[in-house]
Amino acid sequence: MANTRAYAATSPTSGMAPYSFDRRALRPDDVAIEIDYCGVCHSDLHTVENDWGGSQYPVVPGHEIIGRVTAVGQDVTRYQPGDLVGVGCMVDSCRTCSACDSGLEQYCIEGSTMTYGSLDRHDGTVTHGGYSENIVVSDRFVVRVPENLDPASAAPLLCAGITTYSPLKHFKVGKGHKVGVLGMGGLGHMGVKLAKAMGAEVTIFTRSESKVAEAKKQGADHVIISTDKAQMKAAADSFDFLLDTIPVAHDLNPYLKCLKYDGTHILVGLLTPVEPALQAGLLVTKRRVVAGSLIGGMPETQEMLDFCAEHNITCDVEMLDIRNINEAYERLKKSDVKYRFVIDMDTLKQ
Ligand code: NDP
Ligand code: ZN
């Protein structure tokens, strides 16, 4: 599939610009998808600016992809042209290790192949993501999007949705639990909607006074301004779980104090060292746990989409013309988006 139009960054400081490349010809298990919508995740920005190190340039980001199947390889039976499908953060894994066997491909022992910036395990080329016209992905890493979900506002479910759904399910969050969500951005606002749908009492921790009314609209029962020491102190020993979506190094200690004994602080946003250091006493004296969680496996991603369809849950999105992607990144840095930019891929073709 030659000459796929896309947007790419060529260095950490280049900004995003038009780019084109060739998608591979279909392998027997491949699905070709024409992309309609792609969400803009903070991970795209971390990768473009090489915040985590090791970014491969040019990088075509995008891992919240929804589109229609245009062709399938000879062995594909689950999908056919015209189907509405999604692709998230992974496009491959070893498929044979114990993690893959359990449908936890994100924890593949050999490391999963990410949708962009990874080396394809078969031909060694660098993978390119969803800020592009089309994508070719093995059917195991494609999910079916329920037709009753609005596809533009469902696109961010492929990352923001599954990343918050998976730990909530893993830790069996439900009725009777008090859950705090740290940071009200793309992941955070989905964390609120999903934890509420699972029956929990939900509190948003935000730095932004301006988001208080919004948080309530999202379904949050309470809001705590995390920069207000008195409000943080009043929340001591009260939460069963904290879902931490903050994208930068931050002090976990004031949040740990908000957990009950046996409470769990789940990191999803922080992939860099914790600074300042954890006060071990806060863990030891209350048997508190700090945990982490990475996206979700393929069966769970399908389960999450079906759960969202059943509960009528989608993301709050701001549609984006791809030509304005650099401006969108600047706004994302300032947490100035309600709550996810989604690229309308038609704008790539204009
Ligand atoms: P957003 O930028 O949309 O949201 C992050 C929110 O965190 C902001 O809205 C803001 O909320 C809060 N925040 C931002 N900066 C600070 C700061 N300096 N101090 C305190 N709070 C801050 O990002 P996403 O939701 O897209 O992603 C969040 C993180 O999760 C990113 O690091 C991303 O890479 C990571 N991620 C992890 C995944 C995983 O599998 N574990 C998968 C996907 C993403 P407020 O204004 O309310 O304070
Ligand atoms: Zn993401």
Side-chain angles (χ1 to χ4, degrees), residues 41-44 63-64 89 159-160 163 187 340:
C41 179
H42 207 116
S43 302
D44 300 347
H63 58 205
E64 296 183 336
C89 302
C159 173
T163 301
L187 268 59
R340 199 56 139 191

Side-chain angles (χ1 to χ4, degrees), residues 183-297:
M184 188 155 139
L187 268 59
H189 94 290
M190 287 315 302
V192 174
K193 293 185 189 203
L194 292 166
K196 276 302 288 180
M198 291 174 190
E201 182 179 332
V202 182
T203 301
I204 268 279
F205 288 70
T206 176
R207 300 159 303 162
S208 319
E209 277 294 346
S210 63
K211 290 187 183 171
V212 173
E214 285 282 335
K216 296 266 172 74
K217 235 172 47 195
Q218 300 293 338
D221 299 289
H222 317 280
V223 181
I224 291 177
I225 303 297
S226 53
T227 45
D228 182 328
K229 286 201 171 116
Q231 287 191 35
M232 290 294 282
K233 203 165 169 202
D237 299 299
S238 55
F239 288 89
D240 299 287
F241 298 99
L242 294 175
L243 183 61
D244 185 342
T245 78
I246 298 171
V248 294
H250 56 282
D251 190 356
L252 298 193
N253 298 301
Y255 294 107
L256 291 177
K257 290 179 188 166
C258 297
L259 287 171
K260 289 180 189 165
Y261 75 90
D262 276 344
T264 305
H265 186 119
I266 308 160
L267 294 170
V268 289
L270 196 51
L271 279 86
T272 46
V274 172
E275 287 171 28
L278 283 180
Q279 289 172 26
L282 292 175
L283 302 181
V284 172
T285 57
K286 302 261 179 180
R287 202 163 58 184
R288 292 172 173 129
V289 175
V290 176
S293 186
L294 182 68
I295 47 174

Side-chain angles (χ1 to χ4, degrees), residues 35-328:
I35 301 174
D36 294 324
Y37 302 104
C38 184
V40 176
C41 179
H42 207 116
S43 302
D44 300 347
L45 181 55
H46 287 307
T47 307
V48 161
E49 299 198 341
N50 201 22
D51 290 346
W52 298 326
S55 292
Q56 302 250 15
Y57 297 92
V59 55
V60 177
H63 58 205
E64 296 183 336
I65 298 165
I66 284 190
R68 297 263 171 198
V69 175
T70 52
V72 296
Q74 65 198 38
D75 293 348
V76 175
T77 54
R78 287 198 298 155
Y79 298 105
Q80 55 185 37
D83 287 351
L84 186 65
V85 294
V87 176
C89 302
M90 291 179 289
V91 288
D92 207 355
S93 67
C94 84
R95 308 180 186 204
T96 57
C97 73
S98 57
C100 290
D101 244 8
S102 314
L104 295 169
E105 296 90 346
Q106 76 275 34
Y107 303 124
C108 173
I109 287 164
E110 288 185 10
S112 47
T113 306
M114 306 317 279
T115 304
Y116 57 83
S118 266
L119 292 183
D120 180 274
R121 353 175 62 88
H122 306 283
D123 63 19
T125 57
V126 177
T127 57
H128 287 325
Y131 295 11
S132 60
E133 286 178 282
N134 50 47
I135 192 163
V136 175
V137 182
S138 164
D139 63 347
R140 178 173 174 150
F141 292 84
V142 174
V143 282
R144 189 173 293 282
V145 178
E147 292 275 354
N148 68 325
L149 289 175
D150 169 53
S153 35
L157 296 176
L158 275 309
C159 173
I162 185 61
T163 301
T164 47
Y165 181 89
S166 182
L168 294 172
K169 284 293 280 198
H170 178 74
F171 289 103
K172 301 188 170 54
V173 168
K175 215 168 160 27
H177 285 139
K178 289 192 175 176
V179 175
V181 176
L182 279 45
M184 188 155 139
L187 268 59
H189 94 290
M190 287 315 302
V192 174
K193 293 185 189 203
L194 292 166
K196 276 302 288 180
M198 291 174 190
E201 182 179 332
V202 182
T203 301
I204 268 279
F205 288 70
T206 176
R207 300 159 303 162
S208 319
E209 277 294 346
S210 63
K211 290 187 183 171
V212 173
E214 285 282 335
K216 296 266 172 74
K217 235 172 47 195
Q218 300 293 338
D221 299 289
H222 317 280
V223 181
I224 291 177
I225 303 297
S226 53
T227 45
D228 182 328
K229 286 201 171 116
Q231 287 191 35
M232 290 294 282
K233 203 165 169 202
D237 299 299
S238 55
F239 288 89
D240 299 287
F241 298 99
L242 294 175
L243 183 61
D244 185 342
T245 78
I246 298 171
V248 294
H250 56 282
D251 190 356
L252 298 193
N253 298 301
Y255 294 107
L256 291 177
K257 290 179 188 166
C258 297
L259 287 171
K260 289 180 189 165
Y261 75 90
D262 276 344
T264 305
H265 186 119
I266 308 160
L267 294 170
V268 289
L270 196 51
L271 279 86
T272 46
V274 172
E275 287 171 28
L278 283 180
Q279 289 172 26
L282 292 175
L283 302 181
V284 172
T285 57
K286 302 261 179 180
R287 202 163 58 184
R288 292 172 173 129
V289 175
V290 176
S293 186
L294 182 68
I295 47 174
M298 296 317 299
E300 195 174 45
T301 305
Q302 187 65 61
E303 177 189 308
M304 176 274 309
L305 286 171
D306 296 341
F307 179 91
C308 288
E310 191 188 326
H311 292 84
N312 213 8
I313 295 175
T314 50
C315 305
D316 291 23
V317 302
E318 192 174 325
M319 295 310 296
L320 183 68
D321 182 322
I322 199 164
R323 291 166 290 193
N324 299 329
I325 184 70
N326 291 310
E327 189 191 324

